[in-house]
Amino acid sequence: MAGEPQADCLFCKIVAGEIPATIVRETETTVAFRDISPQAPTHVLVIPRVHYPDGAALAAAEPLVAADLLREAGEVAAQEKVDTTGYRIVFNTGPGAGQTVFHAHAHVLGGRDLQRLV
Ligand code: AMP
Ligand code: ZN
């Protein structure tokens, strides 16, 4: 069924507590944890507890959870104190954009100068 945990999904395993992660925030619908290979002083991933392959698929199927995810990204930025200096929320979508884990996730990046991308 849509949104159900996938046996071969790394982030479903983090949600289930089967793989350790440095969790910085949790809600009923989301988990936020530090990226294992940080690209900035603050690099946190915010994921929904439910499994969808990317952020757009999550928003299409469960818009309220997608809103939770985006709000939590902002809460992480505030907790990490990068809200005042500026931060970036990234959803890599598809292998061509560098997506490697096909469980929806937002990267929250901050704490260094982030070059303007677009
Ligand atoms: P993406 O390339 O957008 O799919 O992002 C996947 C992210 O997950 C990458 O930035 C990885 O460094 C990160 N990652 C992979 N395995 C783990 C893990 N076990 N704990 C935390 N972050 C991870
Ligand atoms: Zn998953």
Side-chain angles (χ1 to χ4, degrees), residues 4-6 9-13 48-52 102-104:
E4 291 298 308
Q6 301 295 300
C9 174
L10 176 66
F11 287 176
C12 282
K13 289 182 177 146
R49 292 185 185 276
V50 288
H51 178 97
Y52 290 94
F102 293 88
H103 179 127

Side-chain angles (χ1 to χ4, degrees), residues 10-11 14 19 33-37 43 45 92 98-101 105 107:
L10 176 66
F11 287 176
I14 287 178
I19 287 181
F33 54 93
R34 297 202 186 281
D35 196 292
I36 205 166
S37 175
H43 187 172
L45 302 174
N92 294 326
Q99 188 179 2
T100 58
V101 178
H105 55 279
H107 296 256

Side-chain angles (χ1 to χ4, degrees), residues 88-99:
R88 182 170 292 143
I89 300 172
V90 174
F91 289 88
N92 294 326
T93 303
Q99 188 179 2

